[in-house]
Structure formats: C-alpha cells, structure tokens
C-alpha cells in the first residue's frame, strides 16, 4: 500500500524538483575531515573495529577524524580495549557502493562492524525493495568476509528535521527515510548478530554542522557514546 507521500509525489514533482535543484546549488559542500583512517589505541583485550558507510561515517561536518565518529568511538572504547580500528567510508556512498568497497578488501576478521548508510539511498531514489535486497547482500558479505560477532546498524536519519531541507521536500524525504529504516529494523530482528539503533538525536541546533545536513562534533560524540555503550555491554 502506497504512503500518502508516494501518492502526492506526482502532483508535487515540479516543486520537489525545483527545491532539489535549489538545495544542491546553495548547499555548503564540506570536505571529509583530515586525519588517520585506521589506528590502534587503548589497553585491554584486543577489539577489531570496522566503520563503514557514507559521509556521516566518514565524519563530514568536522575538521579532524578525532572529532568524527571513528575517532570518538575509538577513544571511548580505548578505556576498555586495545582497539584496532579501520574506516571505510566515502561521501555520497549508497549501500551498493559500500558493498563494492568492502568486497575489495582482503578477507580478515573484525569483531565489530558499525554501519551508517541510507541517506544517499533515499536521495537517489532507491526503492524499499531494492534497499532490502542490497542490505541483505551487505550482511552476507560482512559475515562471509569478516565474521563479526556484532554488527551495529545506525538507523536512517530523520531527514524531515534536516535544517538544510525545505518543505515539502524534507517531508517527502523523511517519509522515505522512515520507510528504509524499517528495512533495517526488520533485518536486525532477523539476525542475531545485528543491532539497530534509531538515529534519534535531540533536536538541538548545536548538533548540526554548518551545512545543516551533517552532524556536528557534539552529535558525533553522542552517537559514538551510544555505540560504545553497546559494544562494551556485548564484550565485557
């Protein structure tokens, strides 16, 4: 059954196209942060961590990787583990891009994989059915290639709240984001090693980067805190 946003897309299409063009033209394009994309830190039992996904996984919105998800997550885990971490993320990547990227890595062992995907699947028009199929392919690839004990899936963000998006474009994208997020929820329920976390940060302007689209350093800290808590809970 079609959602109300899907029914209204055709009559709204001219406006949505104009808003989409305007957003792209006016968008503040932020670079991926500088800094290491792999490392080792901390004391304790060894923990091998892979972070993969799109621009949010890559840390867009801050200047240094130490302020981004990878750096903050590794720092929070270093109090309990010797963390060997690796970041495989690129601005603009959809699920299909991440599959190709991870398939090119050598076969190796990661204890934990943290994923951040979905926004680019929404904006590129990936259907719910396509997204489900690609996410299943991704899960199979992770298990076959890296054999993780834990896969942490961050939910698709609530795009209707992105400051950079005007209405009704924000509403339409938000509805599709929620639709794709339900795929991730179902996936986690079906797989014992997968845990889904809703991407529901407080609606605070301080949590958005200056482009109104990506997380700020404070938001990355909160996000890393949630993931670190679950990892510590699982392994200690």
């Amino acid at each position: 059954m079609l959602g109300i946003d899907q029914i209204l897309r055709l009559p709204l299409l001219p406006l949505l196209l104009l808003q989409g063009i305007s957003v792209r033209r006016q968008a503040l394009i932020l670079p991926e942060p500088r800094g290491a994309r792999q490392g080792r830190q901390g004391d304790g039992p060894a923990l091998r961590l892979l972070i993969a996904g799109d621009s949010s996984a890559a840390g867009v919105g801050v200047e240094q990787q130490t302020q981004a998800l990878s750096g903050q997550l590794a720092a929070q885990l270093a109090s309990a583990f010797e963390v060997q971490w690796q970041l495989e993320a690129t601005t603009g990547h959809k699920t299909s891009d991440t599959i190709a990227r991870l398939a090119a890595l050598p076969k190796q062992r990661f204890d934990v994989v943290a994923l951040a995907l979905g926004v680019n699947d929404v904006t590129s028009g990936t259907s719910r059915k396509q997204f489900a199929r690609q996410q299943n392919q991704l899960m199979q690839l992770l298990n076959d290639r890296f054999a993780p004990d834990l896969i942490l899936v961050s939910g698709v963000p609530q795009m209707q709240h992105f400051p950079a998006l005007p209405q009704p474009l924000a509403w339409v994208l938000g509805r599709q984001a929620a639709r794709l997020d339900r795929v991730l929820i179902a996936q986690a329920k079906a797989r014992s090693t997968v845990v889904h976390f809703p991407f529901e940060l407080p609606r605070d302007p301080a949590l958005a980067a200056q482009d109104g689209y990506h997380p700020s350093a404070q938001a990355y800290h909160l996000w890393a805190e949630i993931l670190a808590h679950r990892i510590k809970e699982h392994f200690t």
Side-chain angles (χ1 to χ4, degrees):
M1 182 176 178
L2 293 177
I4 185 65
D5 60 302
Q6 294 170 307
I7 295 170
L8 293 176
R9 275 183 201 174
L10 187 56
L12 287 174
L13 186 58
L15 176 57
L16 296 175
L17 288 174
L18 284 173
Q19 288 186 331
I21 292 169
S22 177
V23 167
R24 288 188 179 93
R25 283 178 176 171
Q26 298 178 25
L28 177 61
I29 307 300
L30 298 178
E32 294 182 6
R34 301 181 297 274
R37 291 191 170 225
Q38 59 182 6
R40 186 190 300 267
Q41 64 189 96
D43 295 305
L47 183 79
R48 290 152 294 190
L49 168 67
L50 173 66
I51 302 159
D54 56 22
S55 56
S56 62
V60 172
V62 296
E63 294 184 357
Q64 298 286 341
Q65 284 294 343
T66 53
Q67 302 168 296
L69 179 64
S70 61
Q72 298 217 44
L73 180 54
Q76 292 192 35
L77 291 172
S79 62
F81 306 98
E82 182 185 29
V83 186
Q84 181 179 338
W85 61 274
Q86 182 171 333
L87 174 62
E88 298 289 338
T90 299
T91 298
H93 269 198
K94 308 184 295 295
T95 302
S96 57
D97 300 309
T98 298
I99 290 171
R101 179 172 186 151
L102 298 183
L105 293 180
K107 191 171 184 179
Q108 57 194 295
R109 173 89 164 109
F110 287 104
D111 301 296
V112 184
V113 177
L115 298 172
L117 286 165
V119 168
N120 297 310
D121 291 281
V122 172
T123 58
S124 66
T126 302
S127 70
R128 187 181 187 280
K129 186 175 182 180
Q130 290 172 319
F131 189 67
R133 183 176 66 251
Q134 291 170 358
Q135 283 288 320
N136 282 329
Q137 291 173 351
L138 177 58
M139 291 301 117
Q140 191 63 52
L141 170 68
L142 293 175
N143 286 322
D144 291 347
R145 203 161 193 83
F146 309 126
D149 294 317
L150 183 64
I151 301 173
L152 301 177
V153 177
S154 294
V156 185
Q158 298 175 327
M159 297 182 69
Q160 68 271 25
H161 299 317
F162 282 14
L165 298 177
Q167 298 293 353
L169 180 62
W171 173 71
V172 170
L173 294 178
R175 295 273 296 195
Q176 182 64 2
R179 200 171 284 117
L180 297 193
D181 195 45
R182 289 195 287 273
V183 170
L184 301 182
I185 292 170
Q187 180 186 81
K189 289 180 179 178
R191 297 174 182 268
S192 60
T193 58
V194 178
V195 178
H196 171 274
F197 291 93
F199 198 94
E200 295 177 348
L201 298 177
R203 293 184 61 186
D204 181 346
L207 298 181
Q210 57 182 327
D211 65 352
Y213 200 82
H214 289 94
S216 66
Q218 185 178 344
Y220 282 125
H221 177 81
L222 294 175
W223 187 3
E225 199 170 55
I226 292 168
L227 299 184
H229 176 77
R230 184 63 183 84
I231 293 170
K232 290 176 182 177
E233 187 178 66
H234 185 88
F235 288 99
T236 58

